[in-house]
Amino acid sequence: MVSFMLSLVALVLGYLFYGKFVAHIFGPDDRPTPALTKADGVDFLVLPSWKIFMIQFLNIAGTGPIFGAIMGAWYGPVAYLWIVLGCIFAGAMHDYLSGMLSIRNGGAGLPELVGKYLGGRTKKVMLVFSVLLLMMVGVVFVYSPAIILESICGSKMWWIIAIFIYYIIATLLPIDKIIGKIYPLFAISLLFMAGALMVGLFVKMPDLPELWSDMSNANNNLNASWLGVDAFMDKNPIFPCLFITIACGAISGFHATQSPLMARCMKSEKLGRPIFYGSMITEGVVALIWATVSIYFFYDGGWKEVVPADVAQQFIAQFGTPGGKSLVQFFDAPTVVKMICSSWLGVAGGILALLGVVAAPITSGDTAFRSARLIIAEFLGIEQHSMHRRLLICIPMFIAAILLLVWQMANPDGFNVIWQYFGWANQTLAVFTLWTLTVYLVENKKPFVVTLVPALFMTVVCSTFLLVSKQALGLQETMAYTGSCLILVVALVWFYSWYKSLKRKNIGGK
């Protein structure tokens, strides 16, 4: 538990100090925001700051900081390092600067920002990439909450239809009509769940493995998996898979498509740090809690408290003596969530907690479709004040989403396939955003190392995953890592050449 407590403290200190440093680099001021200068009563309108925080938090949360943290915990306490360092130095900075840059550019969406700083060709690639990613988010976040809701009551198909109808309504109506009214309740549910589980951890005070635990005991299931000797680690090496698996709890390119939604509703730039940076730190705390609960579940006997007797017997019959490796193979993330919430929090608390888990993906799905509508409208130059113009974009968009959803449901492994591509595409989107932010800082003569280092790191992560993943090129690990090193060198050479060229132009211009 010491690693967990130190990680919590680090996240708070990261907001107080590094968040302030990043805000100082950007330099928010008192200029009028797009919510005032472009008010249309639909997408551009002033909302209370506390409500914007709640909406932003739910927009970016999804199931990522829960399911991603549970799967990331399979790697052991090393997951803490990525959640903390990734959240402070990459994710929160990424969300803050992308949101603030949107404000400075009239509430522009991500493809417009990428086009301005990385060029028109990159803008077109990003347009297609962003819309496809947002469509995958919407489809994935129809299916995953329907699975959880089915376990409570009703049919999965009826839940899918109900959620999809809600998505259509929320995408079309002004942002303050549905999203602005129900998000605070859902946010409270999600935060209650995380807070209640954290209290449960402190009450139980389990003897969890720490970051500095002895790694030499090969008989320990956690150490064995951490050293990479079990089947899971063989198929999913810690680099780069940990950094793809834990995305929303550390850094997520999807967030850069959501921040402009709230950039269009802020009355002052000075609200950016608590809204953008603060909501990402909050998400990091949620991910940290779920990672710790999961480590307890998988590796310290926590499963014994929550697994029903008949399920335990089925487990023993299939795997024999329980251990971290076999538990990972038997219990998937949604099952872990349902069992822990119901057992630790009681009936009422479990229902409220599950409401938070269900609300998180639904409230990311609706804003994903909303973002897609606005990105397409911005590219085509179609105003969105009138309903019939919103329908021009939404009708073909939702038809495409329904077809993708039907394909997913018709294929036994459809959900996993979409989720795998979503995970890689999500982090690749973060790469584009980080390079965009780096170019912005360089051109404005601001300290650019804060974005350059994460941009280089995530470039290597995504390229390595593309090279080593069985769903992509599937190269032998040595070849894949060598290839990613070459890509890193190419990125450094490109940036250095561009930077020198820019300096020469600036000197020549003077």
Side-chain angles (χ1 to χ4, degrees), residues 39-97:
D40 63 1
V42 178
D43 300 302
F44 292 83
L45 71 165
V46 174
L47 292 176
S49 57
W50 68 269
K51 187 172 288 189
I52 299 176
F53 173 86
M54 293 290 193
I55 297 173
Q56 174 71 6
F57 171 62
L58 284 174
N59 282 354
I60 65 175
T63 52
I66 302 170
F67 291 177
I70 292 172
M71 292 183 285
W74 298 345
Y75 293 93
V78 70
Y80 291 155
L81 287 178
W82 175 229
I83 292 172
V84 173
L85 298 179
C87 189
I88 294 172
F89 297 105
M93 174 275 299
H94 164 281
D95 292 8
Y96 173 79
L97 289 180

Side-chain angles (χ1 to χ4, degrees), residues 21 34 36 91 110 140 165-166 171 207 210 213 236 260 335-336 353 367 369 389 394 405 431 442:
F21 172 68
L36 300 173
L110 182 60
V140 166
I165 291 173
Y166 163 75
T171 302
D207 184 21
E210 307 289 355
S213 297
N236 303 274
T335 303
V336 173
T367 50
F369 282 119
R389 292 187 180 272
C394 287
L405 181 61
V431 172
V442 170

Side-chain angles (χ1 to χ4, degrees), residues 182-218:
I182 66 173
Y183 271 41
L185 173 62
F186 288 156
I188 290 170
S189 300
L190 186 57
L191 292 173
F192 165 83
M193 171 199 64
L197 292 175
M198 183 169 65
V199 171
L201 283 171
F202 282 116
V203 170
K204 296 174 185 295
M205 287 300 290
D207 184 21
L208 301 180
E210 307 289 355
L211 275 167
W212 50 88
S213 297
D214 179 19
M215 298 288 293
S216 62
N217 180 12

Side-chain angles (χ1 to χ4, degrees), residues 291-303:
T292 306
V293 170
S294 303
I295 290 173
Y296 175 48
F297 178 92
F298 288 121
Y299 299 111
D300 197 51
W303 67 275

